[in-house]
């Protein structure tokens, strides 16, 4: 087992920093794709915590001992631990990469863990990623009386559009989106983040 330190400066790499409310820390990433993956991990209700560049392993392949560090370690709400590798489509789809990945997957399986491959296409789903970035933009905000009042209305009516909620609260659409983004992010209310961009017509439902 060994560790990589992304906090050590390197002239050859751009390091991306993701501020995580879930982890109460900053997650360091080696690529823009890993950075975008953090938005999914941050707002997945089944993931309790995650970290980048966790402890790596050595594994046998082609009569050699190779080293490998996955992109993320996740701890699920059940306590189960899994590891994730993210890759761009141009690499993800090649036979060479697939063959190498199977050796890595087998090594983790022997240790009792899952190693999961996630593609760029899955991470950069246009509408979902854009919506998750909106949630993240307002995730550092503390719950205010406005948030509590918005939640009360949604619980009362079961389902409201952002426009309807804004009218009931007497606030601007943009302020209503900001308030709802935090409530969605913490799981207090629900919205379909995959089928449409978060806007005045988005439907809000009680959790």
């Amino acid at each position: 087992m060994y560790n990589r330190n992304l906090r050590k400066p390197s002239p050859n790499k751009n390091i991306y920093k993701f501020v995580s409310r879930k982890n109460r820390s900053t997650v360091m990433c080696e690529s823009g794709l890993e950075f975008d993956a953090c938005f999914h991990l941050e707002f997945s209700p089944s993931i309790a915590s995650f970290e980048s560049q966790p402890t790596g392993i050595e594994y046998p392949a082609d009569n050699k001992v190779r080293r490998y560090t996955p992109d993320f370690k996740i701890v699920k709400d059940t306590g189960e631990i899994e590891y994730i590798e993210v890759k761009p489509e141009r690499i993800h789809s090649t036979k060479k990469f697939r063959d190498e990945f199977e050796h890595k997957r087998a090594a983790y399986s022997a240790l009792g863990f899952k190693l999961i491959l996630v593609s760029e296409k899955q991470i950069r789903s246009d509408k979902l990623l854009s919506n998750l970035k909106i949630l993240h933009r307002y995730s550092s905000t503390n719950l205010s009386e406005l948030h509590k009042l918005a939640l009360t209305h949604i619980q009362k009516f079961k389902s409201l559009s952002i426009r309807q909620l804004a009218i009931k609260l007497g606030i601007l659409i943009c302020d209503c989106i900001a308030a709802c983004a935090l409530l969605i992010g913490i799981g207090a209310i629900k919205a379909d983040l995959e089928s449409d961009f978060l806007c005045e017509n988005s439907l809000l439902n009680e959790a």
Side-chain angles (χ1 to χ4, degrees):
M1 297 288 208
Y2 66 96
N3 292 89
R4 296 172 65 187
N5 184 7
L6 293 188
R7 296 184 181 273
K8 184 177 179 180
S10 171
N12 302 319
K13 289 183 179 178
N14 292 320
I15 301 301
Y16 298 75
K17 298 179 180 180
F18 182 89
V19 179
S20 170
R21 177 172 180 157
K22 176 177 282 185
N23 296 308
R24 297 181 181 178
S25 66
T26 298
V27 179
M28 313 290 279
C29 303
E30 284 189 311
S31 70
L33 185 59
E34 290 178 25
F35 179 76
D36 285 347
C38 287
F39 291 96
H40 293 266
L41 301 176
E42 179 76 7
F43 295 108
S44 172
S46 66
I47 294 176
S49 65
F50 63 97
E51 65 178 275
S52 64
Q53 302 298 316
T55 301
I57 63 168
E58 293 183 340
Y59 68 98
D62 302 323
N63 297 316
K64 295 180 181 179
V65 176
R66 302 182 183 275
R67 284 186 168 188
Y68 168 67
T69 301
D71 293 317
F72 295 100
K73 171 186 175 181
I74 65 172
V75 180
K76 305 186 78 173
D77 55 1
T78 60
E80 182 183 5
I81 294 173
E82 295 179 349
Y83 294 87
I84 294 178
E85 176 76 9
V86 303
K87 275 291 178 284
E89 293 301 319
R90 68 180 186 279
I91 298 174
H92 174 273
S93 58
T94 64
K95 184 178 185 303
K96 179 182 178 183
F97 171 77
R98 290 282 186 168
D99 291 344
E100 290 175 352
F101 185 77
E102 286 308 313
H103 286 294
K104 298 169 185 175
R105 194 201 302 272
Y108 272 91
S109 180
L111 293 172
F113 299 109
K114 290 181 181 179
L115 176 63
I116 300 168
L117 178 60
V118 180
S119 72
E120 180 178 10
K121 185 176 180 180
Q122 290 172 292
I123 293 169
R124 289 181 169 159
S125 172
D126 189 30
K127 293 178 181 177
L128 177 56
L129 181 58
S130 295
N131 286 332
L132 293 178
K133 288 184 176 182
I134 292 175
L135 302 193
H136 186 258
R137 186 184 309 160
Y138 299 104
S139 64
S140 60
T141 307
N142 293 321
L143 280 176
S144 66
E145 289 304 314
L146 175 61
H147 294 105
K148 294 174 184 177
L149 186 57
L151 180 57
T152 298
H153 278 298
I154 294 168
Q155 290 175 333
K156 177 181 178 181
F157 292 96
K158 309 300 182 185
S159 182
L160 288 172
S161 71
I162 286 179
R163 171 178 283 279
Q164 290 172 326
L165 180 59
I167 292 172
K168 291 183 180 299
L169 295 174
I171 61 175
L172 298 174
I173 294 292
C174 59
D175 293 332
C176 192
I177 290 175
C180 292
L182 175 62
L183 294 174
I184 295 168
I186 64 175
I189 62 176
K190 294 180 179 179
D192 185 354
L193 301 178
E194 296 190 46
S195 64
D196 205 355
F197 294 110
L198 201 58
C199 65
E200 61 183 291
N201 297 317
S202 298
L203 200 60
L204 308 167
N205 300 290
E206 63 175 346

